[in-house]
Amino acid sequence: MTIADARPFAEPLDRLKRAGLRPTRQRLALTRLLFGRGDRHVSAEQLHAEAKAARFVVSLATVYNTLNQFTRAGLLREVVVEAGRSYFDTNTSDHHHVLTVATGSLTDIPVGTLAVSGVPKIPEGLEVERIDVVVRLRPRV
Amino acid sequence: MTIADARPFAEPLDRLKRAGLRPTRQRLALTRLLFGRGDRHVSAEQLHAEAKAARFVVSLATVYNTLNQFTRAGLLREVVVEAGRSYFDTNTSDHHHVLTVATGSLTDIPVGTLAVSGVPKIPEGLEVERIDVVVRLRPRV
DNA sequence: AACAATATTAGAATGGATCTAAAATATCTC
DNA sequence: GAGATATTTTAGATCCATTCTAATATTGTT
Ligand SMILES: [Mn+2]
Ligand SMILES: [Mn+2]
Ligand SMILES: [Zn+2]
Ligand SMILES: [Zn+2]
């Protein structure tokens, strides 16, 4: 067991500090909710509701600010699955997703499982930032 | 040259009729704009502006209605690349996309070029509806 | 403690998308 | 073609996720 395992919040907070974000009460509470229980895919509204349920009142504006700052700092990844709603993913590794359209539930495909081949030549001056793969599921007919 | 080549609007309109949609003036005009010049990826706002520029005034509500009806009828495919905006794709074949994030421009990857392997087992009662792949490009550092 | 920098917040504003319900148009029946 | 019926179009209202504003609060520094 490493020190990181024993203090699961230490690493994100270190990265926060390195990103120039002060460890405020709000950011600490949201960090605990986000990173306290394994990989998650949450919307801003969901996280806001969770904070309220945990008796930690934080404004929706701060939830959005924090999620966007964390994303810019590389602590989170934004996943867009349908127009008008985005999920924030605590798993920032290079992985892909399965979306059950009917329920809106999003799950990870383990890293290294799914592979993409035959990516076309990229125009001069540009490079691949990321490849997003979403496997969309529907009820079997 | 086949008859379909000579009458490029005939096929979409036939499909429209088969889908139970009356060929109204608005739907005809939008069909011409959508399918008149090769594969396209347009937003509702864009199409609305194009109609206005072509001196065919149509309400934004009708543009949305039409795009959604066409999508349900299989004439168009909806592509979600960023939260808050969706594109309608006149290419309904099984293909993938390259997104230049900085400009928002979306281009097709030719069918058969890009391949996805290692899709995980799908839970009982569900099946793959579609696999969306978006190659996101950024300026080279 | 004093000060400057940064963060939080309520509420307003934005913008894409959908809804409403009344007027217009298309199709059907005779 | 006339009249009846079904569908479509439309302006404007409404929705809803997200961002913005600008006033207040907290944080880090000296
Ligand atoms: Mn964002
Ligand atoms: Mn839609
Ligand atoms: Zn994920
Ligand atoms: Zn396409």
Side-chain angles (χ1 to χ4, degrees), chain A residues 119-138:
Chain A
V119 175
K121 277 233 169 58
I122 304 308
E124 201 54 42
L126 296 172
E127 66 183 357
V128 175
E129 171 190 306
R130 191 169 85 205
I131 298 178
D132 286 341
V133 177
V134 178
V135 177
R136 301 168 58 96
L137 304 184
R138 65 174 170 209

Side-chain angles (χ1 to χ4, degrees), chain B residues 15 19 23 30 42 105:
Chain B
R15 288 170 78 182
L30 294 176
V42 286
S105 103

Side-chain angles (χ1 to χ4, degrees), chain A residues 39-41 77 79 89-91 95-97 106-109:
Chain A
D39 291 343
R40 308 200 52 190
H41 303 88
R77 199 181 118 174
V79 184
D89 191 344
T90 58
N91 180 352
H95 70 284
H96 301 294
H97 294 100
L106 192 70
T107 61
D108 283 348
I109 296 176

Side-chain angles (χ1 to χ4, degrees), chain B residues 40-41 77 79 89-91 95-97 106-109:
Chain B
R40 309 201 52 191
H41 303 88
R77 199 181 118 173
V79 184
D89 190 344
T90 59
N91 180 352
H95 69 286
H96 302 294
H97 294 100
L106 192 70
T107 61
D108 284 347
I109 296 176

